[in-house]
Amino acid sequence: MKVLITSFLLVFNIFLHAQQMNRTPLPTRQQLAWHEMEFYLFIHFGPNTFTDKEWGHGDEPEDIFNPAQLDCRQWARIAKQAGAKGIIITAKHHDGFCLWPSKYSRHTVRESKWKNGKGDVLKELSQACKENGLKFGVYISPWDRNHPKYGTAEYNDVYVNTMKEIFANYGSIWELWWDGANGEGPNGKKQVYDWDRFKKTIRTISPRTVVFSDVGPNIRWVGNEKGIAGKTNWNYLDTMGFTPGLGAPPTDTLNTGNAFGKAWIPAECDVSIRPGWFYHANEDDKVKNGDQLFDLYLKSVGRGSNLLLNVPPDRRGLIHENDSAALMAFKKLRQESFSKNLLGDAKAYWEINEEAFLKDSIDYRTLDKKGSVYSINTQSFLVQLPNPRQVNCIVLREAIHLGQTIENFKIVLFNNNLSVNEISGTTIGRKRIVTFPVQTITSFKVILKDRFGNDNVSGVSAYLLDEKLVEK
Ligand code: FUL
């Protein structure tokens, strides 16, 4: 009997422990794969490319769309060379023009002169992505300034059919982008979107697609169009009572997430390589350069988010030379910066013994709200280099398949046992790129405050970046 009770207690204890470890929403397999995408392109293309507008009115004549040299293979090649892992295209923007010959609209490529009405941008791009091993995603604007049914209940049927049509005809769709914008349609009315029905439709026709909107269900907007994630960036969000668009949570909440949010909905950073989303010739000399793109990379991917970089093709239907040059410079900077991990031959030690903590000069109390010297929630490890090295960047990764539980971290740099700098931060998430003024070090210590006392760091590396690239 005693044995029975003891084993019951033991099992119960393990069960309790497992419960404790898992008291947090977890990412799905598709979301985990999404986190590994890091960087991909956004393509804004349509009548606005030809009218120099950002928001078309929906009454533009279809013939205006005539990209005589359209070459989606050029887009995909450039994306691939830039190290982007996918492309998301505006299949339909707010003007309602469909880049494929949709059955549910009279405002499409079919009604245009382009390829005598036989062209299909989605077909060309989805094939080009496949050939280049890139994921393919679509932006389908619910706001439609052309569709005669917009502003009536029937438009929700139109929107559902439109999604079904795209998902049935262009291979597997990795990400679907829902823009929350909701303005007036051609008859002056606004639409009441049936988001629940839209969600159910996608879950039924393509359960593996990750769906983006201000509030997910799978990926959230980061709260700005500058491509910048919060320095604190939780992959959790509370969505109860919120909808995409005007009903979304405040932008600062979207930027940082909710520390104790009930769903795993990570942020995606969307930003354009030019001032506008669509191509405008007068912005040819305003393309962000490699250094600026690298800075955005640090502020998006380096804060545990993904970077969705818009590169709008021009009126020829090609990515402009200036944009592709900037993308190549960006690629080169990433390659040069992160190809040589300076910890390849270093040794790391987890410190689990209180003695070891007390012997050194680090004040753990700053990490421990309860005020005790050593908290169960604090974990630390020491990285020892074989010889002194110059470093100005340390990259930490959290094992997010187990959740996101690290609340803050401190890195203490040592040169021959002398502390030479301390850098503090909050969340880590999938990746945290920490930069600081260049320093010669022989070791460094990482001190973590984890919500559950876990030690779920899954990676640490260090680099020496070109000083001009270090985050300002
Ligand atoms: C916004 C749209 O109104 C812009 O035109 C652009 O498509 C951007 C990515 O999303 O809501």
Side-chain angles (χ1 to χ4, degrees):
M1 187 61 182
K2 206 169 155 196
V3 176
L4 206 69
I5 293 175
T6 318
S7 22
F8 172 75
L9 283 178
L10 195 76
V11 171
F12 187 65
N13 218 342
I14 293 170
F15 173 74
L16 264 188
H17 191 65
Q19 286 293 301
Q20 241 175 8
M21 305 268 291
N22 291 328
R23 257 185 328 192
T24 170
L26 296 175
T28 62
R29 186 191 293 242
Q30 285 74 32
Q31 286 174 316
L32 270 181
W34 174 89
H35 278 283
E36 292 306 311
M37 292 286 288
E38 278 209 354
F39 159 57
Y40 33 93
L41 298 192
F42 213 177
I43 294 268
H44 275 66
F45 190 55
N48 295 340
T49 311
F50 299 86
T51 56
D52 248 338
K53 288 182 204 158
E54 277 291 309
W55 281 4
H57 291 280
D59 55 2
E60 295 78 18
E62 290 84 16
D63 276 348
I64 208 150
F65 182 82
N66 197 6
Q69 299 174 48
L70 181 110
D71 183 4
C72 293
R73 290 201 167 99
Q74 187 243 17
W75 309 356
R77 247 186 346 258
I78 290 173
K80 177 102 187 163
Q81 277 165 15
K85 298 204 180 123
I87 298 184
I88 301 178
I89 184 165
T90 53
K92 175 176 89 142
H93 202 250
H94 309 327
D95 57 23
F97 185 82
C98 301
L99 294 180
W100 78 104
S102 177
K103 273 201 294 208
Y104 304 100
S105 166
R106 306 295 308 157
H107 191 50
T108 81
V109 281
R110 186 186 51 231
E111 283 75 31
S112 77
K113 259 203 216 110
W114 178 58
K115 294 195 171 176
N116 296 319
K118 301 271 181 292
D120 183 341
V121 184
L122 294 196
K123 193 166 168 199
E124 293 194 24
L125 183 59
S126 56
Q127 277 169 1
C129 282
K130 210 168 168 191
E131 285 165 19
N132 285 279
L134 299 169
K135 299 272 187 207
F136 176 61
V138 284
Y139 165 117
I140 314 172
S141 171
W143 183 20
D144 191 319
R145 300 173 102 181
N146 171 272
H147 206 285
K149 294 271 162 53
Y150 189 86
T152 73
E154 282 166 88
Y155 175 79
N156 287 326
D157 300 335
V158 172
Y159 190 77
V160 164
N161 286 331
T162 304
M163 289 194 294
K164 285 185 177 165
E165 186 179 50
I166 293 180
F167 276 75
N169 292 313
Y170 300 102
S172 76
I173 291 180
W174 153 68
E175 180 167 331
L176 167 63
W177 225 86
W178 278 334
D179 192 315
N182 179 350
E184 288 160 0
N187 48 21
K189 287 193 211 141
K190 281 194 185 177
Q191 180 71 26
V192 181
Y193 301 134
D194 193 344
W195 290 113
D196 279 344
R197 185 172 162 209
F198 299 170
K199 259 190 261 177
K200 277 188 199 126
T201 305
I202 291 300
R203 281 296 74 102
T204 314
I205 62 175
S206 188
R208 295 207 182 107
T209 298
V210 284
V211 180
F212 166 101
S213 84
D214 292 335
V215 290
N218 308 118
I219 312 295
R220 74 172 192 267
W221 183 44
V222 75
N224 63 65
E225 291 183 337
K226 295 192 196 128
I228 301 180
K231 282 188 178 165
T232 296
N233 180 17
W234 291 102
N235 291 317
Y236 306 125
L237 191 71
D238 280 322
T239 58
M240 182 85 108
F242 293 113
T243 62
L246 286 179
T251 49
D252 53 347
T253 303
L254 293 175
N255 196 238
T256 58
N258 295 114
F260 294 93
K262 297 214 171 29
W264 186 275
I265 308 182
E268 179 183 80
C269 298
D270 60 320
V271 61
S272 186
I273 197 165
R274 290 161 170 257
W277 290 102
F278 284 86
Y279 175 82
H280 308 289
N282 64 7
E283 293 179 353
D284 283 349
D285 58 355
K286 298 196 176 79
V287 176
K288 292 182 179 67
N289 63 30
D291 291 6
Q292 291 170 305
L293 295 175
F294 188 88
D295 188 53
L296 286 178
Y297 179 83
L298 294 182
K299 290 174 173 150
S300 53
V301 175
R303 294 179 183 175
S305 185
N306 276 357
L307 174 61
L308 171 57
L309 179 66
N310 180 61
V311 181
D314 61 18
R315 291 183 185 179
R316 294 172 299 175
L318 298 174
I319 290 180
H320 191 272
E321 294 72 358
N322 294 0
D323 304 52
S324 68
L327 285 171
M328 295 313 131
F330 175 36
K331 167 73 187 297
K332 193 156 172 264
L333 290 176
R334 277 166 20 247
Q335 225 160 21
E336 287 169 356
S337 303
F338 299 117
S339 58
K340 192 159 171 255
N341 174 14
L342 299 170
L343 305 184
D345 53 357
K347 290 201 167 69
Y349 308 91
W350 280 99
E351 293 185 293
I352 43 167
N353 158 336
E354 193 166 346
E355 284 293 300
F357 282 121
L358 298 175
K359 261 189 236 149
D360 63 47
S361 59
I362 300 156
D363 183 7
Y364 290 92
R365 277 164 291 198
T366 52
L367 288 171
D368 183 4
K369 290 194 190 92
K370 288 190 201 99
S372 65
V373 173
Y374 174 59
S375 140
I376 182 89
N377 290 343
T378 306
Q379 302 282 349
S380 96
F381 61 90
L382 182 79
V383 178
Q384 190 76 53
L385 295 166
N387 46 35
R389 280 172 198 173
Q390 284 201 314
V391 166
N392 61 3
C393 175
I394 291 177
V395 178
L396 299 171
R397 283 185 72 142
E398 187 169 351
I400 54 170
H401 63 287
L402 301 170
Q404 188 188 7
T405 56
I406 297 170
E407 296 179 333
N408 60 46
F409 66 87
K410 183 154 86 172
I411 301 174
V412 189
L413 305 176
F414 294 97
N415 190 357
N416 288 322
N417 296 333
L418 208 77
S419 152
V420 285
N421 195 4
E422 278 190 18
I423 307 113
S424 300
T426 52
T427 50
I428 293 181
R430 182 200 165 251
K431 195 183 251 191
R432 181 81 191 197
I433 306 179
V434 185
T435 62
F436 43 86
V438 66
Q439 193 74 58
T440 300
I441 59 165
T442 49
S443 64
F444 64 90
K445 182 171 277 194
V446 180
I447 304 134
L448 306 166
K449 171 134 187 293
D450 186 281
R451 187 170 291 170
F452 302 133
N454 295 335
D455 49 10
N456 293 342
V457 166
S458 61
V460 54
S461 46
Y463 305 90
L464 179 62
L465 310 186
D466 185 334
E467 195 61 11
K468 72 171 185 204
L469 299 173
V470 167
E471 194 179 339
K472 308 292 144 350

